[in-house]
Amino acid sequence: MTMLLSLALAMLVGLLFTRLAKLVHLPNVTAYLVAGLLIGPSCLGLVPSGVLKSMDIISTVALGFIAFSIGGEFKLSSMKMLGSRVITITFFQAMTAVLMVDAVLLICGFPAAEALTLGAIAAATAPAATLMVVRQYRAKGPLTSTLLPVVAMDDAVGLIVFAISLALARTFANGSALTVKNMLIDPVVEIVLSLTIGGVIGLLLAVGIRFFHSRANRLMLCLTAVLLGIALAELMSLSSLLLCMMIGAVYCNLGADTAVVMDLCDRWTPPVLLLFFVVSGAELELSVIPTVGLLGIIYMLTRSLGKYFGAYIGSLITHADASIRKYLGITLLPQAGVAIGMAQLVIAQLPQYGAQIRAVVLCATLIYELVGPFLTKKALQAAGEIDPKNA
């Protein structure tokens, strides 16, 4: 099967499955993953593994734009309005999930590289699923007003932790001796270089876009900036996620008409993201799933507990409302794009563990996306932030 025919099939099946998902009130990302699994080598084999391998460029580009979009949420003016409470809660819920997954997996005897990587991935959440529930039921109140900025900031924390953890995991996986250089200096240098280069590209984008006024030209300039960032990250072995996130962050703070331009990018990326999720589902090897059963169960349980107690501790420290302490952690369970993107990067960086980690993350995503929106709705109802008329 040719590449173009495979792409057409992937898009068609992905679109058709969104209609089915809508009937049972599931997020589109779940439909895309199931569609990919169905047409992939593990099921019907409509898209051969050889063709899937040649689609890696789609995943690479999609991850760049996911990170760019996350960076676009970080306007300094908005950060000041959020205050220290949201930042503190975000930090605690993310890091508690990371540390709990790391600790429990290490205690259970799993390899350090695998534990560190999955721990870092545990920090990420899926803003889209949460936002969908809030909009659908018109939720309003202290919990909702805290939840939305937390899920927006959460992935940024996750990307930084992932960059550090992956660098350490590579050291453990390669059997290298643990030194100050490979445990501290190398990860810090990678993060600083990624953020610096991303900042420079973001600044050039902010300046350059002032000379272009048509929407088409501005969109093409954004595409150029993100593709350049991805290319430089690959050439210099840096974090493409952090680099592209920094491009978006600098641009949204210094550029002109940032809301309009970011909206243009959001309108352009859906086909790329659809293909990314379908391809991710197609690459899932069903034969691997039985071998990661215990690993997957531990990951989901410890991540869920980490999110809940981390949000509780952060809320307690900041003297947040009782409803936030009780229910915020429950609303932070969904995972999707960023987590899957991290798992995809692990395939190249840690090939000996990549298949297992991707299987765990994809299976967890399916489960989280099935139950996450339902639990979010119940938490918002329990907090009294959904009008019974809208439920």
Side-chain angles (χ1 to χ4, degrees), residues 299-346:
Y299 170 77
M300 285 188 284
L301 285 177
T302 51
R303 177 183 177 271
S304 300
L305 291 172
K307 286 287 182 181
Y308 182 82
F309 287 111
Y312 187 90
I313 293 169
S315 302
L316 202 62
I317 291 173
T318 57
H319 307 290
D321 290 353
S323 62
I324 298 174
R325 293 198 301 270
K326 290 180 182 178
Y327 303 114
L328 179 61
I330 299 173
T331 66
L332 298 174
L333 297 184
Q335 275 195 308
V338 174
I340 294 173
M342 292 176 178
Q344 289 293 109
L345 290 178
V346 175

Side-chain angles (χ1 to χ4, degrees), residues 65 68 201-228 247 251 261 265:
F65 279 97
F68 178 71
I201 296 175
L203 177 61
L204 293 174
L205 175 62
V207 173
I209 214 159
R210 296 177 186 275
F211 297 96
F212 298 90
H213 302 289
S214 74
R215 293 191 173 193
N217 286 339
R218 288 182 165 187
L219 174 59
M220 285 188 282
L221 199 58
C222 287
L223 297 180
T224 302
V226 174
L227 293 177
L228 175 62
I247 295 174
Y251 169 67
V261 176
C265 290

